[in-house]
Each structure stands twice: as C-alpha cells, then as structure tokens.
C-alpha cells in the first residue's frame, strides 16, 4: 500500500520469476509516527523478510528472493527511505536511530533477530549498563505493537490526516481520489479483497491465496485488509471486533505510559541532554496516543452504537 503500520507482503514478491527485485522499506516513519513517536520497525522488516511466498518448494521467502538465492539473480537487494536529516542527533528522535542501524544490519544479515540488533545498537549508543540495556530494549520491542494498537486496527491503516500523514483522521482518505481504505458503516468495517470482492487475495500462490480468502483462516492482524467484518464477529480471543478496537486503543495508550516509565527509570545513567530530548518526545507520544485512542474509539462508538463492555470514557 504505502508503508503502513501493517500490510500484507505484495504478491509481486514471488509472483515475478524472471525479474530482479529489490525490497523497499521505509525507516523515515512517514505513517508510523514520523520519529516523534518511537516505533522500532525491525520486527516488521523481519516479518516481511521471513514471509513464505510459496513461489518454489524451497528458498521461497522474501529474503531468499531479494538476496537472489531463489532464482540465481544478482541485481537484487534491499533499499530504504532513510530517516536522517539536519537534527543534531541526525534522526530527531534519538531512539529512531535504531531503525537506521537495524536496516543496515539486516541488509547484510537477514537472519539477525530484532532483539540482537536492538542490543547491539543500545550498547553502541548508550554503553553497556544492564539497566539501560534492559529498559531501552523493552521500549524498542514494545513500540511497534503499541503504535499499531492505538492507531489502526487489524490491517486497516490510512486513518491519518492527508498531506502530512500525521495524526488521527479516520475518514481523511476514505473518500479521496486515491481510493477507500476502511469502508466502515454501521454494521462493520474492512475491505473485501476475497474472490467475492476485489479478488486481490487470489494473486498469491497457494496456500496463501486460500488462507487470505477465508475469514476463518485469514491472519487476524490482516483481517480487515482482506475482509469486511461485522462488529459482532468474534475474534480468536473471544472478543467481538468492536470490543477489540476499543480495548486495543486503550491498551496502546497504556503501553506508551509504560515506555515513558522505562525511560525515566534510567535517567541517572544517561547524559541529561539526551535524556531530556527523548523524554520530551515520549511525553508528546503519550499525549498523542491518547488523542488517537479517543478519536478512533469515538468514531466507532458513534458509527456502531455498540457500547464498550468496560464502560470507559468514549466521547
């Protein structure tokens, strides 16, 4: 789609067998907080690289394809939209440098784990104190799931302000010339990309095509990308879809509070200038995550008229 917080791997990866391919990722966080929010993207990149396309019986992952292992190609690779600028610390948010470092490491070794890359970067940046290593690791590893929770649910994406792509605007792109992305009505939400809808799911090799085709087998993190789902539909957790939307947005905002507390716990071990610079961004993220939470939840409460089972404040 366009560097959303969650989207399926393009069926072109594995679909083109005589074409050199380069995987492009975005570390500039255009739609993932623009480096005002910490969002460690290496776990996302790892998921993409490890995705089985089933284009061949072996060596069928995205990592195999872009390294040339699958078809013996040599003009392959990885590219990234970079995140450096004129800031004193290069990336605005000090913790955003982990994405730049992590991309470079993955480009040379796609087998490295997200945790290992985070540990390397933290040691290079903040030293070897175990307290700092553990706290910053926890912040990084929880940041992408947290951002996904308080922004767009289950593969929807796009609920941002047009033009600057920052901040919540549920219908910002919904009636735009670029297309519609969530198609929420009073009954449900999501885009039907099965064979009964746009047919997009059928562009994948089997068994991926069948997996995405059926609501019962579609990975829930991409459920609303491939299916229009009633608010009353029960997920594997036992929650209804609408309750998952409410809960995840509250949980995401709470996760940011935990991230702030983690950072505050290691103040004595960090240069004061860096500590304050990161703290200011985390405090902004905490306030902004609540704005996301309130706007998204209010939209779906007013659209569905289904109350939050936990009776929390939804405007």
């Amino acid at each position: 789609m366009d560097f959303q917080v969650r989207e399926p791997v393009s069926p072109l990866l594995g679909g083109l067998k005589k074409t050199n391919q380069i995987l492009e990722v975005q570390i500039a966080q255009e739609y993932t907080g623009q480096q005002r929010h910490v969002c460690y993207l290496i776990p996302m990149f790892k998921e993409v690289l490890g995705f089985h396309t089933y284009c061949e019986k072996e060596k069928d992952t995205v990592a195999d394809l872009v390294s040339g292992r699958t078809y013996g190609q040599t003009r392959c690779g990885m590219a990234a939209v970079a995140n450096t600028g004129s800031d004193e610390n290069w990336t605005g948010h000090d913790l955003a440098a982990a994405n730049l470092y992590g991309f470079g490491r993955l480009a040379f070794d796609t087998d490295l784990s997200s945790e290992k890359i985070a540990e390397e970067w933290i040691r290079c940046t903040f030293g070897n104190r175990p307290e700092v290593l553990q706290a910053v690791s926890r912040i990084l590893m929880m940041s992408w799931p947290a951002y996904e929770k308080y922004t767009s649910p289950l593969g929807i994406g796009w609920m941002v302000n047009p033009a600057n792509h920052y901040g919540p605007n549920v219908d910002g792109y919904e009636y735009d010339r670029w297309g519609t992305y969530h198609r929420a009505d009073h009954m449900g939400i999501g885009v039907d990309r099965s064979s009964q809808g746009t047919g997009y799911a059928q562009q994948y090799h089997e068994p991926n095509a069948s997996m995405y085709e059926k609501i019962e087998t579609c990975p829930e993190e991409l459920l609303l990308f491939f299916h229009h789902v009633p608010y009353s539909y029960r997920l594997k957790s036992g929650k209804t879809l609408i309750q998952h939307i409410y809960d995840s947005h509250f949980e995401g905002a709470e996760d940011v509070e935990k991230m702030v507390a983690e950072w505050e716990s290691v103040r004595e071990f960090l240069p004061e200038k860096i500590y304050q610079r990161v703290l200011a961004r985390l405090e902004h993220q905490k306030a902004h995550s609540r704005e996301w939470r309130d706007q998204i939840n209010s939209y779906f409460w007013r659209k569905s008229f289904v109350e939050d089972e936990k009776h929390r404040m939804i405007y």
Side-chain angles (χ1 to χ4, degrees), residues 11-112:
L12 287 174
L13 288 161
L16 299 174
K17 299 188 177 184
K18 297 182 180 180
T19 303
N20 293 297
Q21 294 181 79
I22 290 178
L23 173 67
E24 183 187 40
V25 297
Q26 189 191 73
I27 52 182
Q29 295 181 232
E30 179 183 358
Y31 294 93
T32 54
Q34 296 186 3
Q35 301 180 182
R36 285 174 272 185
H37 295 223
V38 58
C39 188
Y40 182 51
L41 297 173
I42 305 308
M44 179 202 292
F45 301 163
K46 286 285 295 180
E47 284 192 12
V48 172
L49 288 165
F51 179 78
H52 286 278
T53 67
Y54 297 102
C55 61
E56 300 291 340
K57 290 183 178 181
E58 297 179 345
K59 298 181 180 179
D60 69 326
T61 66
V62 172
D64 290 326
L65 286 162
V66 301
S67 65
R69 291 190 294 263
T70 307
Y71 295 117
Q73 296 163 330
T74 57
R75 296 180 180 179
C76 307
M78 290 174 62
V81 181
N83 63 339
T84 56
S86 58
D87 296 274
E88 179 184 359
N89 61 356
W90 287 24
T91 54
H93 199 314
D94 290 76
L95 301 188
N99 288 328
L100 181 66
Y101 176 89
F103 167 77
R105 292 292 280 128
L106 278 182
F108 281 90
D109 186 353
T110 58
D111 291 330
L112 286 171

Side-chain angles (χ1 to χ4, degrees), residues 96-166:
N99 288 328
L100 181 66
Y101 176 89
F103 167 77
R105 292 292 280 128
L106 278 182
F108 281 90
D109 186 353
T110 58
D111 291 330
L112 286 171
S113 71
S114 303
E115 293 83 358
K116 175 63 175 175
I117 291 171
E119 178 185 346
E120 288 182 2
W121 177 79
I122 294 164
R123 291 187 186 278
C124 290
T125 304
F126 297 117
N128 296 314
R129 289 206 63 110
E131 300 91 339
V132 175
L133 178 61
Q134 293 166 14
V136 178
S137 291
R138 284 191 288 265
I139 291 171
L140 291 178
M141 293 309 299
M142 70 189 301
S143 61
W144 176 46
Y147 189 88
E148 182 176 25
K149 288 178 188 176
Y150 65 75
T151 55
S152 53
L154 305 175
I156 281 291
W158 290 104
M159 295 179 175
V160 295
N161 286 300
N164 62 27
H165 299 165
Y166 189 74

Side-chain angles (χ1 to χ4, degrees), residues 52-54 60 201 204-213 217:
H52 286 278
T53 67
Y54 297 102
D60 69 326
Y204 291 87
H205 294 291
E206 291 291 357
N208 287 337
S210 294
M211 175 183 69
Y212 290 138
E213 171 73 17
T217 57

